[in-house]
Amino acid sequence: MTETYDYIIIGAGSAGCVLANRLSEDPATKVLVLEYGGSDKSIFIQMPTALSIPMNGTKYNWKYMTLPEPGLGGRQVHCPRGKVIGGSSSINGLVYMRGHASDFDEWEALGARGWRYANCLPYFQRAESWQDGGDAYRGASGPLATNAGNKMKNPLYKAFVDAGHEAGYITTEDPNGHMQEGFGPMHMTVKDGVRWSTANAYLKPAMSRPNLTVITHAMTRRVILDGKRAVGAEYELGGGQRIVAKATGEVLISSGPIGSPHLLQRSGIGPAALLQKAGVAVLHDLPGVGENLQDHSEVYIQYACKEPITLNGKMGLLSKAMIGAEWLLFKKGLSVSNHFESGGFIRSDASLQWPDIQFHFLPAAMRYDGKKPLDGHGFMVLTGPNKPKSRGYVRLRSPEAHEQPDILINYLDREEDREGFRRCLRLTREIIAQPAFDRFRGEEIAPGKDVRSNDEIDAWVRETMESTYHPCGSCRMGEDAMAVVDSDLKVRGVEGLRVIDSSVFPAEPNANLNAPTIMLAERASDIVRGKPLLAASNAAVGIASGIGVTQRSGTPLRTLQH
C-alpha cells in the first residue's frame, strides 16, 4: 500500500503535535502523523496529580532503561518516554520552565545559528496562554495553557522561598519572565484542572481538518531514501501489515532523544561502523547520530516535618479516592496540581554567569515514582546540577524497530558533575537550616546527618541518584563534523529530512525540557513552511547582582565557603 502526503511527521509528542497543528493550518497542505502509541483518554493521564502512574507503567511509556551506568556502580536507570499521543507531555511532571536566556545564547555559540534567546522568546510567547495574561515575556493567546497550580496554598512552599531569601539569594516573581535566577513559584501545563499536553493543546483541535491524518499504533520502521533524499516512510500496523507513505515535501522526525537517533540509524543514517555491526546498510555516514546524549539527574533530600500538613497525610486509599472524586466532579482541589509549586535557580560557584542548579520543592517525602512514601509527615527538595558535562549515546542493536537501542547517559562521568552534586547537597542543607523552616523542620531523613564528607556524599549519590527525565542532544544541531542537523534542523547531507525535537538541543537548558521543546517546534514550523520568522524580542534579561564575584545572588552577598 502506498499513500502520498506533503509532510510526514513521525511521532506525535511534544514537538510532533505542534508541527501537526501548524503545518495543517494551510488547507492545501496534506499532513500525515505516525504515532506508535494510542489514545490519551485515561484519567491517570488527564488528572495532573496522577502523573506517577503513566510515567511508571508500560502502557503509555516506552520504559527505556540505560545500560549499567559505570558512574553509578553499574546501576541501570529508568528513562521514561511517552508512548501515547502527546508523547512525553502526556506522562511528564507537567512542569513549565523555559530555561535561562543564556542557555539559548549558548546554543548559538555552539553552532545553532539563529537560536539565541531574542529569537526564541517570541515563540515561547506564541505557544503560551499564561493565566495572568501576556507581557514582554509571557503569551496570552497561545494553545498551551500554563498556570501556577494551587498558588502555593501549602505553607511549606512559601517557607522554601523565604528560606532561600534568608540564605542570601534573591526571590523572583516569574522564573519564566524577566528574571529566572532566585527562589519563587514554579509553573505547570494545566487548564481547567486538566493536564494540558500538546495532544490537548495542539493535536486534538487540528484533527477535524480534512488535510490532517493521524495514524496511531503505527511503528515507523525506517525513513525511505532515494539516493540522498528522503521520499517517505515505511510503517507497520498490527498484524505485521506494512505500509509505505510517500512525502512530496519533507519527512519530519519528532520521535524524541531516544527514538529519533534510533530511527535514523535503522534507516541507514548514522555512524558507518555502528550500522554495519548492527546489520544495517549504510546509506549516509553521519557520525554524530546518537552521540552527545545528556540528561539532568537529581537526588531527593528529605526531612521530617513537625506539623501534619504534608501530602504524606493524603497517601491512604480513602484520601486518594476523595481527591479523585473531587477531580471527576469539579476539576478542583489537590488533583489539579503536580505539587511542584515552588522552586529555585541558583549558581553553584562565584565564577558562573547564569544558574546551574535547579530546586524542585515538594511538600511530601516520597519518590517521584510514587513509591516508598515516608511513614509520617515530611518534605523534600529535588535537586541536581543542570548543566551536566557528562555525555553518552543511543546506539541501535539491530535493524528491528521493536528492539530497544543501547542507551548510556554516562552519569557522573565527569568530576564537574560529581562536584555539582556535592554543592547541591550542601547548599540545600544551608537553605533548609534557615529560620523560615524552624517550625516545620524535623530530622534529615535522606541522606541523613552523618553523610558529610565528599566520599560519603559521592557514595550516596551513586546509590540514589535518579534521572530527572530530560534526555536531549542525541541529534545535535550545529556546524561541525559531529553535528547531525543544521540550524534549519535539516539532516546534514540528506535532502527532505529534518529532526525536530529535544534531540537537536546542543546543550541542556537550565530547566525542564517540555517548554523549550514546544518552542523549538513552533519556530521550526515557520522554518519548514518558509514563513517569515517572528521578529526578535528586545526584552531585557534580568541579571543577578554578584555575577563573577559571589555565589549568592541577593543580599547580604557572601562567598561560599566549606
Side-chain angles (χ1 to χ4, degrees):
M1 296 177 63
T2 303
E3 304 159 333
T4 302
Y5 300 86
D6 295 293
Y7 297 105
I8 299 173
I9 301 167
I10 303 173
S14 294
C17 289
V18 176
L19 294 172
N21 182 298
R22 295 305 189 190
L23 296 181
S24 65
E25 287 175 336
D26 179 358
T29 298
K30 191 176 180 182
V31 180
L32 171 67
V33 179
L34 298 174
E35 167 58 45
Y36 184 58
S39 170
D40 66 343
K41 290 182 179 180
S42 168
I43 184 177
F44 300 119
I45 288 178
Q46 301 302 330
M47 183 195 300
T49 195
L51 63 94
S52 68
I53 296 175
M55 183 184 293
N56 292 285
T58 56
K59 183 174 183 179
Y60 306 111
N61 178 11
W62 284 95
K63 201 78 174 182
Y64 293 118
M65 298 294 293
T66 71
L67 295 170
E69 291 282 349
L72 303 182
R75 277 200 300 128
Q76 292 181 273
V77 176
H78 180 206
C79 180
R81 296 283 90 198
K83 188 175 63 176
V84 60
I85 61 168
S88 294
S89 76
S90 289
I91 69 166
N92 68 2
L94 299 94
V95 175
Y96 182 82
M97 287 287 156
R98 296 175 174 178
H100 194 277
S102 294
D103 293 322
F104 306 102
D105 294 343
E106 178 188 31
W107 286 7
E108 185 159 73
L110 291 172
R113 290 179 290 107
W115 290 91
R116 63 191 177 99
Y117 176 68
N119 294 334
C120 293
L121 178 55
Y123 287 96
F124 278 118
Q125 292 173 286
R126 186 171 87 174
E128 183 188 28
S129 182
W130 170 234
Q131 64 177 24
D132 296 329
D135 57 24
Y137 305 91
R138 307 304 298 258
S141 57
L144 188 71
T146 56
N147 67 30
N150 285 322
K151 298 185 178 180
M152 299 196 289
K153 290 180 181 177
N154 190 305
L156 287 167
Y157 292 123
K158 187 173 186 301
F160 186 67
V161 176
D162 291 344
H165 182 70
E166 291 170 347
Y169 302 98
I170 59 176
T171 58
T172 178
E173 293 298 318
D174 184 356
N176 288 310
H178 173 255
M179 173 72 76
Q180 185 200 55
E181 186 163 354
F183 286 72
M186 294 187 72
H187 304 148
M188 60 192 71
T189 49
V190 175
K191 181 178 182 180
D192 298 328
V194 175
R195 174 193 288 272
W196 215 238
S197 65
T198 56
N200 284 334
Y202 285 91
L203 185 62
K204 292 177 187 178
M207 287 181 68
S208 61
R209 297 171 183 166
N211 62 326
L212 175 63
T213 300
V214 179
I215 301 178
T216 56
H217 305 296
M219 169 61 82
T220 302
R221 297 182 57 84
R222 63 189 176 101
V223 175
I224 298 171
L225 299 186
D226 181 3
K228 295 293 184 177
R229 181 174 182 83
V231 294
E234 179 189 58
Y235 62 96
E236 181 180 285
L237 297 176
Q241 180 187 18
R242 295 187 183 180
I243 300 174
V244 171
K246 291 186 176 180
T248 58
E250 296 186 64
V251 177
L252 310 175
I253 300 177
S254 297
S255 301
I258 308 301
S260 290
H262 191 211
L263 176 57
L264 285 173
Q265 291 166 1
R266 295 198 309 270
S267 304
I269 302 170
L274 172 68
L275 303 187
Q276 291 167 347
K277 181 180 178 181
V280 174
V282 180
L283 302 182
H284 183 60
D285 182 10
L286 196 57
V289 175
E291 302 302 304
N292 193 53
L293 181 66
Q294 54 206 274
D295 187 22
H296 289 151
S297 53
E298 63 190 3
V299 289
Y300 308 156
I301 304 172
Q302 299 181 331
Y303 291 82
C305 184
K306 295 188 292 186
E307 296 189 14
I309 58 172
T310 74
L311 296 176
N312 289 86
K314 304 293 184 181
M315 298 295 180
L317 291 177
L318 179 59
S319 292
K320 289 181 178 179
M322 292 177 65
I323 292 169
E326 186 177 19
W327 185 82
L328 286 170
L329 293 172
F330 308 110
K331 302 295 188 292
K332 293 182 179 180
L334 289 174
S335 60
V336 306
S337 174
N338 61 6
H339 307 299
F340 296 114
E341 295 187 21
S342 69
F345 295 91
I346 66 172
R347 288 170 284 119
S348 67
D349 185 82
S351 65
L352 296 176
Q353 301 301 302
W354 75 94
D356 66 326
I357 290 177
Q358 181 178 4
F359 299 109
H360 297 73
F361 181 81
L362 186 67
M366 56 182 293
R367 291 176 56 85
Y368 206 177
D369 59 13
K371 298 177 181 178
K372 298 182 180 178
L374 175 70
D375 185 14
H377 284 274
F379 58 86
M380 70 183 192
V381 180
L382 292 73
T383 185
N386 257 20
K387 303 297 291 183
K389 304 299 182 184
S390 301
R391 297 291 185 268
Y393 56 76
V394 177
R395 295 173 182 170
L396 86 169
R397 299 171 181 170
S398 76
E400 176 51 51
H402 292 277
E403 183 175 4
Q404 294 193 359
D406 286 335
I407 303 167
L408 187 73
I409 309 291
N410 249 346
Y411 293 112
L412 305 182
D413 179 60
R414 297 279 294 271
E415 171 61 21
E416 297 97 317
D417 296 344
R418 297 190 290 273
E419 173 60 21
F421 272 106
R422 297 170 199 145
R423 292 174 177 176
C424 285
L425 175 57
R426 288 171 172 145
L427 290 166
T428 300
R429 283 171 162 166
E430 287 186 2
I431 292 161
I432 301 301
Q434 299 304 313
F437 272 108
D438 285 351
R439 64 176 272 207
F440 306 115
R441 183 182 55 252
E443 66 175 329
E444 183 181 304
I445 301 166
K449 63 182 180 180
D450 294 332
V451 176
R452 311 298 301 184
S453 70
N454 285 354
D455 288 345
E456 290 166 342
I457 295 172
D458 289 351
W460 175 69
V461 171
R462 282 195 301 272
E463 294 169 2
T464 64
M465 184 224 85
E466 297 289 348
S467 171
T468 314
Y469 312 144
H470 299 160
C472 70
S474 52
C475 295
R476 178 171 62 85
M477 179 170 26
E479 299 177 328
D480 59 278
M482 291 299 289
V484 175
V485 300
D486 64 17
S487 298
D488 288 335
L489 308 176
K490 295 178 179 178
V491 174
R492 297 172 64 246
V494 180
E495 296 181 10
L497 183 62
R498 304 189 206 229
V499 179
I500 303 172
D501 56 39
S502 66
S503 68
V504 307
F505 292 2
E508 289 268 16
N510 182 46
N512 312 71
L513 296 198
N514 194 44
T517 301
I518 293 169
M519 174 279 296
L520 177 111
E522 281 277 13
R523 190 168 186 270
S525 70
D526 281 354
I527 294 173
V528 170
R529 290 184 288 181
K531 294 185 64 176
L533 298 178
L534 298 181
S537 171
N538 60 4
V541 175
I543 302 296
S545 61
I547 293 288
V549 176
T550 177
Q551 185 267 337
R552 308 290 161 149
S553 58
T555 55
L557 296 177
R558 297 185 286 138
T559 56
L560 178 63
Q561 295 179 343
H562 286 293

